[in-house]
Amino acid sequence: MGAQLDRILKDASSLSASDRAQLAHCLISSLDQVNDEDVNHAWLEVVEQRIDALESGQAETLSWEEVKKGLKRPAC
């Protein structure tokens, strides 16, 4: 790691948890600037397939209550 990155990490570690979360969000979002048409096209196809499956009744849906019941709590 370079000296500049070390300094940034040291400064960031003194931020509150919510400020570090906001910083992390901003940094991760900055990586998403690349627009890959192949990826966008692939996602569009997936979305269209899922809509078709929902409209045709082929997709199984769950209520929010069912989803919450299926969530596992992490062991602490």
Side-chain angles (χ1 to χ4, degrees), residues 51-71:
I51 289 170
D52 290 342
L54 282 169
E55 290 177 345
S56 70
Q58 292 175 344
E60 179 184 342
T61 59
L62 299 172
S63 70
W64 176 234
E65 291 303 317
E66 292 171 307
V67 171
K68 289 191 293 187
K69 287 179 188 176
L71 296 176

Side-chain angles (χ1 to χ4, degrees), residues 3-4 9-11 16-17 19 26 29 31 35 42 46 48 55 69:
Q4 184 179 15
L9 288 173
K10 181 180 176 189
D11 291 344
S16 69
D19 285 346
C26 291
S29 294
L31 299 174
N35 188 6
V46 169
E48 289 172 349
E55 290 177 345
K69 287 179 188 176

Side-chain angles (χ1 to χ4, degrees), residues 5-72:
L5 183 55
D6 285 338
R7 190 171 50 257
I8 291 169
L9 288 173
K10 181 180 176 189
D11 291 344
S13 68
S14 68
L15 296 172
S16 69
S18 63
D19 285 346
R20 287 193 317 272
Q22 180 66 34
L23 175 60
H25 171 74
C26 291
L27 290 171
I28 291 169
S29 294
S30 72
L31 299 174
D32 293 336
Q33 298 297 322
V34 177
N35 188 6
D36 186 336
E37 286 303 316
D38 291 335
V39 172
N40 291 337
H41 182 71
W43 273 115
L44 183 58
E45 286 182 12
V46 169
V47 169
E48 289 172 349
Q49 290 169 358
R50 291 182 181 181
I51 289 170
D52 290 342
L54 282 169
E55 290 177 345
S56 70
Q58 292 175 344
E60 179 184 342
T61 59
L62 299 172
S63 70
W64 176 234
E65 291 303 317
E66 292 171 307
V67 171
K68 289 191 293 187
K69 287 179 188 176
L71 296 176
K72 294 182 180 179

